[in-house]
Amino acid sequence: MPKGLTRAAPKKDAPKAVTKSAADDAIRCDACPVLCYIKPGRTGSCDRYGNHEGKLVRLDPHVVLDRAVERGESVVPFLERSRDWDGTLVSHGETFVTAIGAGTTYPDYKPAPFIISSQVEGVDMVTVVTEGIFSYCGVKVKIDTDRHLGAECSAVRAQGEVVGHVTTSEYGSQMLSLGGVRHLTGGSRHEGTATCETLLDLCNGNAVDLKIDGGASVVVQAGKPPVVDGVQEERMRVGCGSATIGMFAKQWFGKVDEVVVVDDHITGVLSEHQAGKLLGVRETGIKLKGRRSTPGRYFQVAEPGTSWGGTDVDDPLTILGKFNSKKAWPGLRLLMVSTTGEQHAYFELDDDLRPHEKELPPHLRESVARIKGNCEPALCTVLFMGGAGGSLRAGVTENPVKLTHSVRDALTRVTCGGSPVYVWPGGGITFMADVTRMPRNAFGYVPTPALVAPIEFTLKLADYAALGGYIENVRPLSSILRSRAGSEPPARDQFVHDAKGPRHITARPDNPWPLAAEKDVPNTRKKK
Ligand code: SF4
């Protein structure tokens, strides 16, 4: 931030747009529909732009990525390398201009703030970058836990407002769908604001408190373990109850007579399961409550909950009926275990065929430990999902549908802050990006409310010309880097950046390099 400029208070207390006329030295920002008038020394409502000595300044540094010299090599801070930068680096595709801090294309007909040329293996390329204003956006959250967070379709609240809903349970995880245009724009002002703040925090890697109607409270932070009802989750399940039986049947054979793996979805029973049958496990006369799906696989043995295997069961015997006296025998050894191995209990039948809990024998401890050991650490995953709409596409070409077709034909590569995205098949440019693969604090917001996310389109210069791109606005990468030496900031006429120039960070070595030749990028869709 330029010296002397006062950054606005944190976003909750951010000043409202100044509505005075330009006569009092306020300048108007037109980077989004709010159209703030900003007084000297102050920032606009979104805290992204400010009035510095009469100039509209984009406050956050513009981020460029420098390629790690070799994959797997420890990262080298850019500033160490930059001292002897001689300008040749930029012509070899080793520096990538992200849209983080680049500024926004608004209103829609203007060219994107930066349209940068580069050369990759002798081919002229162009990267069009803009901070997109996404009214149509949200996050898909994957929470690794067996614990029941809430019924499907239950509302998810933040700050007391509904900001999304519970969607499907996946293998060892539960999914939330948060945000979307309806919560951002279709409810009360506070619902929209709460939704926007929740999305912003999640996308920028901050922890968010969520409450699910009729379910749990959960603290979600990308790349960190979830905290469910105040308890930090440690591991996700090794598999469903049936799969766990299959995986460990051989290790139990001969050491115990019966095993039940308790699971909210598919509880497994060793003696009835195909794995047990093939090994020759003797029938035990065990009886389970719930609905038998196929041999050794039971649904709905209990209600969903936060205990054994994501059920509400604290005493595993409550899911058993009476043993069949024609098949069971006194002394029968029974192991009951959850899908994470966190809960386990060992029983032996007495003369009346009633189970009595005993200490877990040493020869079974190993198998329980192995279940635990096969469980991966529980994490929260946050995928940003957005649709590149009018302003974004019109900032790339005067004929926006051509960009859509170019992305679909894999002529144009889409990245989000230099990180890979998955573009959904079908119409439009709807994409998802893992926020943990992006530079931190890559996202912003505007109080319309909408999220501001970086997006870059990279394609051959010739293809760019063919789709009606703004060729006259293409500039070399060196024109940005030059500003580091204190020359005139080269940003769009509408606003300036901090004259220190862009902020360089080293690209994650596990991300595909956004300027890599197509053959070097795994899973690149080939042009049909
Ligand atoms: S909210 Fe931000 S981007 Fe929008 S007009 Fe105000 S300062 Fe500019």
Side-chain angles (χ1 to χ4, degrees), residues 29 31-32 34-36 38 44-46 48-49 446-447:
C29 173
C32 91
V34 176
L35 299 176
C36 297
I38 308 174
S45 291
C46 70
R48 295 190 305 134
Y49 290 88
V446 290

Side-chain angles (χ1 to χ4, degrees), residues 79-138:
L79 290 175
E80 284 176 25
R81 287 194 287 127
S82 66
R83 285 195 196 102
D84 50 12
W85 174 71
D86 62 1
T88 56
L89 187 66
V90 300
S91 64
H92 292 87
E94 299 298 310
T95 298
F96 180 76
V97 178
T98 78
I100 302 167
T104 300
T105 306
Y106 192 82
D108 304 1
Y109 61 81
K110 289 185 179 175
F114 292 94
I115 304 176
I116 302 295
S117 62
S118 59
Q119 269 210 342
V120 177
E121 297 187 5
V123 178
D124 289 321
M125 305 291 291
V126 66
T127 300
V128 185
V129 308
T130 185
E131 288 182 296
I133 299 175
F134 287 86
S135 298
Y136 291 85
C137 74

Side-chain angles (χ1 to χ4, degrees), residues 31 43 81 152 158 166 171 238 293 361 443 491 506:
T43 63
R81 287 194 287 127
E152 265 181 43
V166 178
Y171 208 101
V238 65
S293 161
F443 291 80
T506 304

Side-chain angles (χ1 to χ4, degrees), residues 292-312:
R292 187 171 181 260
S293 161
T294 51
R297 301 169 75 256
Y298 289 83
F299 299 162
Q300 300 156 18
V301 296
E303 292 298 318
T306 55
S307 195
W308 282 62
T311 68
D312 63 348

Side-chain angles (χ1 to χ4, degrees), residues 456-499:
E456 304 95 20
F457 301 98
T458 300
L459 64 165
K460 289 179 186 157
L461 184 61
D463 289 334
Y464 188 51
L467 62 78
Y470 301 101
I471 292 295
E472 66 280 9
N473 291 78
V474 175
R475 67 169 81 167
L477 176 57
S478 56
S479 70
I480 296 179
L481 301 185
R482 220 178 282 135
S483 69
R484 293 174 54 76
S487 63
E488 200 56 31
R492 196 171 89 182
D493 55 352
Q494 209 184 5
F495 63 89
V496 297
H497 276 84
D498 188 333

